[in-house]
Amino acid sequence: MSTVFARLKEVAAPRIGLGCMNLSHAYGRPVPEAEALRALDAAFDMGYRHFDTATLYGATANERLVGKALAGKRDQVLLASKGGMAFDPELGRKVIDGRPETLRRQCEASLARLGTDHLDLYYLHRLDRRVPIEESAGALGRLVEEGKIRAVGLSEVSATTLRRARAEHPVAAVQSEYSLWTRNPEIALLEACREADTALVAFSPLGRGFLTGTVKDPARLEESDMRRHMPRFSAENLPHNLRLLEDFMTVASELGMTPGQLALAWLTAQGGDVIPIPGSRSVDHMRESLAAEELNLEAATVTRLNAVLTPDHVAGARYSEAQQADIDTEEFG
């Protein structure tokens, strides 16, 4: 059993975890701290036990926030963070750095911000193409030996990179974007994960809000919302994609589910080793997502949904050219 699943069992966690990024990063202005803390407190009270953050999010603000929210609750959760990609205030931009000394320094800083002496799961946030993955994975492995992290993870990597990394040290989880309209892990990564009992942690399982049916006009997104720079959400592509979404919305209505719940139910139907971590700024949406834990789809429904939003029909790449240069995942032709 992957150490991730072992820890989730220890803390009696639901299958669905919580991505905390949205509160501090990428989707417009950060949520005021008091409001964000109330949201995280509510998430814990309603049953979330898997909390995911990163050094990058909010230029370390998200880790500080999560640390405050989970003070006194640390032994009741699976706490995950990521290093190897951080905001450099001098350069005014994010920097990918997978060198062993950087990973150690960032991990120790994360521990301090999160108010803990260890992380249950620590990911290499992005592959540093200047550093052999074996060196980065080896550095994370030494942090395991020292008790600073319990398990090693990778984020947005290919099956080839995963196999090279785990030859150096076991990899407990790979985090990758995975949803009905982003099926890149199905090219090769899922198979590679299953070869060695590695969990696939699915971020953006609601398609960055698209699958909830709430994103209808890119012009209404805040200027600092990262989706403004994503081709699928452009004024040229979004209308086409929204037409494709109509069949999905029909299925949700027929089943008496919200679109977001249907998106999560489809994802959990892909296998027990797939762990969705939807993010939200809304307590009501957090509760709605967690309720999807109890929903099971019939095989015929999964088959029907598989024909919706297929990669060859979705308009636009999932990342801009600049963002795409930072990731190592397989891409559809």
Side-chain angles (χ1 to χ4, degrees):
M1 178 185 290
S2 166
T3 52
V4 172
F5 293 108
R7 179 58 179 166
L8 290 174
K9 185 176 181 180
E10 284 176 7
V11 298
R15 170 93 164 271
I16 295 171
L18 185 68
C20 301
M21 178 189 79
N22 303 31
L23 296 167
S24 310
H25 186 84
Y27 290 92
R29 287 167 292 183
V31 176
E33 183 178 279
E35 182 181 340
L37 287 172
R38 285 194 294 270
L40 290 172
D41 287 343
F44 180 87
D45 289 344
M46 72 179 71
Y48 282 100
R49 291 296 182 270
H50 177 179
F51 292 82
D52 180 272
T53 182
T55 293
L56 177 70
Y57 301 159
T60 73
N62 195 248
E63 285 185 324
R64 298 180 209 277
L65 176 70
V66 172
K68 286 183 180 180
L70 297 182
K73 305 169 183 174
R74 174 66 187 92
D75 61 346
Q76 301 176 63
V77 302
L78 184 156
L79 181 57
S81 192
K82 312 175 197 69
M85 184 163 66
F87 181 79
D88 187 320
E90 293 185 3
L91 296 176
R93 59 177 176 83
K94 69 181 180 185
V95 173
I96 295 174
D97 186 346
R99 293 175 297 173
E101 59 270 27
T102 299
L103 295 176
R104 173 175 293 278
R105 174 173 50 80
Q106 290 186 358
C107 178
E108 291 173 349
S110 291
L111 293 175
R113 286 189 290 269
L114 288 161
T116 184
D117 63 356
H118 75 283
L119 289 162
D120 297 300
L121 179 58
Y122 191 60
Y123 296 91
L124 177 69
H125 204 159
R126 290 290 186 272
L127 173 68
D128 183 345
R129 300 180 192 280
R130 303 165 302 173
V131 179
I133 186 59
E134 291 83 359
E135 291 186 19
S136 297
L140 295 176
R142 288 187 287 277
L143 293 173
V144 173
E145 294 168 1
E146 295 170 19
K148 293 180 178 178
I149 65 177
R150 290 183 63 173
V152 171
L154 304 175
S155 178
E156 290 283 65
V157 299
S158 65
T160 297
T161 297
L162 170 58
R163 292 186 178 108
R164 286 177 54 193
R166 73 179 184 221
E168 185 69 26
H169 191 276
V171 177
V174 173
Q175 190 167 135
S176 193
E177 183 176 357
Y178 190 24
S179 71
L180 188 61
W181 84 325
T182 300
R183 303 196 213 174
N184 300 63
E186 296 174 2
I187 299 172
L189 183 61
L190 265 174
E191 178 182 353
C193 285
R194 287 167 176 163
E195 290 171 357
D197 197 25
T198 298
L200 192 289
V201 178
F203 76 82
S204 295
L206 304 179
R208 302 186 185 276
F210 173 78
L211 293 173
T212 66
T214 58
V215 184
K216 297 180 180 179
D217 182 0
R220 299 186 66 178
L221 299 173
E222 290 188 40
E223 288 295 332
S224 56
D225 192 312
M226 69 184 298
R227 290 172 292 186
R228 277 183 167 268
H229 307 288
M230 293 181 158
R232 291 183 178 181
F233 290 94
S234 71
E236 295 75 25
N237 292 326
L238 186 58
H240 168 84
N241 292 329
L242 287 172
R243 287 192 292 274
L244 297 178
L245 189 63
E246 292 173 3
D247 287 344
F248 173 80
M249 303 293 278
T250 297
V251 176
S253 179
E254 290 174 356
L255 295 176
M257 301 178 186
T258 68
Q261 288 174 334
L262 180 59
L264 292 170
W266 176 86
L267 197 53
T268 57
Q270 303 312 304
D273 50 356
V274 177
I275 302 173
I277 52 167
S280 180
R281 299 176 166 216
S282 162
V283 171
D284 288 342
H285 290 163
M286 292 176 184
R287 187 171 287 109
E288 176 188 313
S289 291
L290 192 58
E293 177 87 5
E294 306 301 323
L295 301 176
N296 296 300
L297 300 181
E298 294 182 354
T301 301
V302 174
T303 299
R304 180 179 175 186
L305 290 173
N306 285 343
V308 175
L309 295 164
T310 57
D312 56 327
H313 289 149
V314 174
R318 68 186 182 106
Y319 282 132
S320 67
E321 289 186 12
Q323 293 166 326
Q324 185 69 33
D326 290 340
I327 64 171
D328 178 50
T329 56
E330 290 87 2
E331 300 299 319
F332 288 100

